[in-house]
Amino acid sequence: MDETALREAICAHGRLLFGRGYSVGSAGNISVRLPDGYLMTPTNSSLGRLEAARISKLDTEWRHVSGDKPSKEVFMHRAVLTARPEAGAVVHLHSTHATAIGCLATPGEDAPIPPLTPYFVMRIGRRLPVIRYYRPGDAAMEGDIHEASKGARAVLLANHGPVVSGSTLDDAVYAAEELEEAARLALLLRGLPARELTPEQVDDLLNTFG
Ligand code: 13P
């Protein structure tokens, strides 16, 4: 996809995510890697009403070069995109159920959501590290997210929300959607004798779908 198409795709995905309540108000942000830098949603923008021409553009050194002022979470996106050279996009949401899991007193360090469904395993993988609470926009979060992202496609920010990467924008959005649904299932099943996928079934999924 060229830059024009990617700008339109960010707006289209933003509208769909917002329309289903995966982000509310001006929460959430999206970034996409380009050959000459990055596209990022502007700060304080609603994902439901993005305008392609106003999306922020940053150069390869993460300097703002055009469009509106970028998201204050630029450090969060940089942390993931520099840790995962194979990632082409990052989606950060405050989606309700994933955020709820991140608000649990003891969410579990690396696997706060159990492997209940194949698509959660296929899209997110084995690990979902929980990152300790940082104030939104705090540059200090970059190191922790960077380290955790080396071995995980997604991380969960305590009391804040998920940060999900993918090889393409579509992949990152699909993974963020699966993460939210898996979190919803995990909460629905809390206290019930749920049947989790076995380690062998998880291995089989990862060996088959990567
Ligand atoms: P921005 O409006 O700066 O993108 O911040 C929104 C957000 O989700 C903070 O975590």
Side-chain angles (χ1 to χ4, degrees):
M1 264 198 223
D2 66 14
E3 184 178 325
T4 306
L6 282 169
R7 285 173 179 268
E8 292 298 340
I10 291 172
C11 297
H13 276 304
R15 253 191 320 273
L16 289 170
L17 290 166
F18 187 87
R20 281 171 297 158
Y22 287 1
S23 69
V24 298
S26 63
N29 27 72
I30 299 173
S31 65
V32 173
R33 194 194 299 274
L34 297 172
D36 62 345
Y38 305 88
L39 291 175
M40 186 160 295
T41 50
T43 190
N44 292 325
S45 57
S46 163
L47 290 191
R49 290 182 286 119
L50 294 169
E51 292 173 45
R54 295 180 62 176
I55 288 178
S56 321
K57 185 163 181 183
L58 293 84
D59 66 15
T60 53
E61 303 301 316
W62 297 87
R63 288 178 299 231
H64 181 209
V65 288
S66 64
D68 289 356
K69 187 175 173 210
S71 170
K72 64 177 152 309
E73 303 292 22
V74 59
F75 305 104
M76 171 202 293
H77 291 256
R78 183 167 75 178
V80 179
L81 288 167
T82 55
R84 302 184 68 77
E86 73 279 23
V90 172
V91 175
H92 165 56
L93 299 174
H94 297 176
S95 52
T96 308
H97 299 86
T99 304
I101 299 232
C103 293
L104 293 174
T106 51
E109 229 175 71
D110 261 1
I113 300 175
L116 290 163
T117 63
Y119 265 74
F120 172 65
V121 174
M122 287 153 59
R123 293 276 180 206
I124 300 295
R126 231 184 281 273
R127 300 181 62 244
L128 177 66
V130 178
I131 307 293
R132 77 160 176 85
Y133 175 77
Y134 287 96
R135 189 186 66 238
D138 186 347
M141 73 176 81
E142 184 164 1
D144 282 357
I145 298 177
H146 183 82
E147 279 312 304
S149 295
K150 288 179 183 167
R153 292 178 212 165
V155 299
L156 186 58
L157 308 182
N159 300 77
H160 185 167
V163 184
V164 184
S165 68
S167 57
T168 63
L169 175 60
D170 282 357
D171 274 348
V173 171
Y174 296 161
E177 292 174 326
E178 285 299 336
L179 173 50
E180 174 58 13
E181 290 309 308
R184 192 151 78 102
L185 284 176
L187 291 172
L188 280 171
L189 291 166
R190 252 167 98 84
L192 296 174
R195 184 188 329 103
E196 294 182 13
L197 298 178
T198 65
E200 293 72 29
Q201 288 166 333
V202 170
D203 286 346
D204 173 54
L205 286 165
L206 295 175
N207 290 337
T208 307
F209 298 103

